[in-house]
Amino acid sequence: MDNDLHYRFIKPEKPLSEFVDSFWCLHNQSDSSKETIGLPDGRIDLFLFKSSEEPFRIVLIGLGTLPHEQAIIPSNSLMFSISFKLPAVEYVFGNAISDIINSGRLLPEHFWGFAEDDLQDFDLFVQKATLKIQSLLPNEIDERKRKLFELIYATKGAITVKELSEKVFWTGRQINRYFNQQFGISLKAYCTVLRFRASLEHIAQGKLFPEENFSDQNHFIKEIKKFSGVAPKELFKNKNDRFILLSSLIKK
């Protein structure tokens, strides 16, 4: 990764890992902004952000489905983030995010007790966020939904709606209604995003052939280009570290 960009992440332990994918921080330590290309990753992000030119703010970002979104990482900027899995929408936030598909929502000042001072120490931020999320978790959740998400994440999206329906005893129509109402996306579309995200891990290792239930090489290339705008070979080159998500996987 670009030496001016400092990236770090921490994985949570159970039971938090059912709802949180990771905690991460991104620091642009240079005096110049960095161009980047966002890639869909199947996560919901809550982040604290500030830069030398922009004030502190807290933002919730919904699911992304659009390909190769151009973005800028401002100069001297710092971001601490919590990446959530889908069950967090209902069981942590308690509100649907279907209205912020491919967009975000500015959260109130001091949301969850966070403030600009929390950007001073990433480890302390993770501790504070962990305690807050734990305090919001319900005593129990719908076992049907728990199993549904366990299967989706265990297979990294390489499972059909029909298979999921049969395993969790919930009709495909009901599952899709739940997904669209809560997250603003169909189950099939979400699984496609997860398969793309899983393929990035292989591409980061130089594996430029399908390993995530793609029918053939052409299908694989088509899906990768759909979300990244480039073929797997070009994505792997990652010129100028423009794909931050891929750079973080290579670093890992």
Side-chain angles (χ1 to χ4, degrees), residues 16 23 125-136:
L16 209 65
F23 302 93
F125 164 76
V126 172
Q127 293 177 25
K128 181 175 181 177
T130 296
L131 289 174
K132 179 60 181 180
I133 296 167
Q134 287 175 336
S135 74
L136 295 171

Side-chain angles (χ1 to χ4, degrees), residues 60 76 93 99 184:
L60 181 66
N76 300 302
F93 292 99
D99 62 320

Side-chain angles (χ1 to χ4, degrees), residues 1-23:
M1 183 177 284
D2 187 322
N3 290 331
D4 289 329
L5 293 177
H6 172 72
Y7 179 87
R8 184 184 170 201
F9 78 97
I10 294 175
K11 284 282 190 179
E13 297 181 355
K14 287 188 175 182
L16 209 65
S17 59
E18 291 186 53
F19 305 91
V20 175
D21 176 85
S22 59
F23 302 93

Side-chain angles (χ1 to χ4, degrees), residues 38-201:
L39 300 173
D41 62 10
R43 304 181 299 186
I44 301 115
D45 293 311
L46 183 153
F47 66 79
L48 282 61
F49 172 87
K50 72 172 183 179
S51 74
S52 56
E53 298 180 357
E54 300 177 52
F56 171 78
R57 60 181 181 268
I58 306 173
V59 178
L60 181 66
I61 301 295
L63 289 175
T65 63
L66 298 178
H68 47 92
E69 298 177 81
Q70 301 283 344
I72 294 292
I73 303 174
S75 60
N76 300 302
S77 62
L78 179 61
M79 180 190 301
F80 287 179
S81 181
I82 313 169
S83 288
F84 291 94
K85 296 179 179 179
L86 292 193
V89 172
E90 180 176 358
Y91 294 105
V92 176
F93 292 99
N95 290 300
I97 58 164
S98 55
D99 62 320
I100 54 170
I101 189 83
N102 294 309
S103 63
R105 178 189 300 155
L106 185 64
L107 296 176
E109 189 175 353
H110 298 300
F111 180 81
W112 283 1
F114 288 129
E116 185 172 352
D117 287 347
D118 289 306
L119 286 171
Q120 295 180 3
D121 190 306
F122 181 60
D123 291 298
L124 290 179
F125 164 76
V126 172
Q127 293 177 25
K128 181 175 181 177
T130 296
L131 289 174
K132 179 60 181 180
I133 296 167
Q134 287 175 336
S135 74
L136 295 171
L137 296 180
N139 294 325
E140 58 183 43
I141 71 172
D142 186 325
E143 283 301 318
R144 187 173 52 178
K145 293 175 182 175
R146 184 195 297 274
K147 186 173 183 180
L148 173 69
F149 287 114
E150 282 180 351
L151 289 167
I152 291 171
Y153 290 121
T155 60
K156 298 180 180 179
I159 188 169
T160 67
V161 176
K162 184 175 184 295
E163 288 176 293
L164 285 168
S165 176
E166 292 172 348
K167 290 180 181 294
V168 301
F169 304 105
W170 201 5
T171 70
R173 179 175 294 183
Q174 290 173 324
I175 295 173
N176 273 314
R177 183 183 302 119
Y178 171 68
F179 262 69
N180 280 300
Q181 290 177 345
Q182 286 288 318
F183 318 120
I185 188 174
S186 70
L187 171 57
K188 182 178 180 180
Y190 183 69
C191 285
T192 300
V193 170
L194 284 189
R195 285 194 307 162
F196 167 75
R197 170 65 173 77
S199 294
L200 290 180
E201 297 182 16

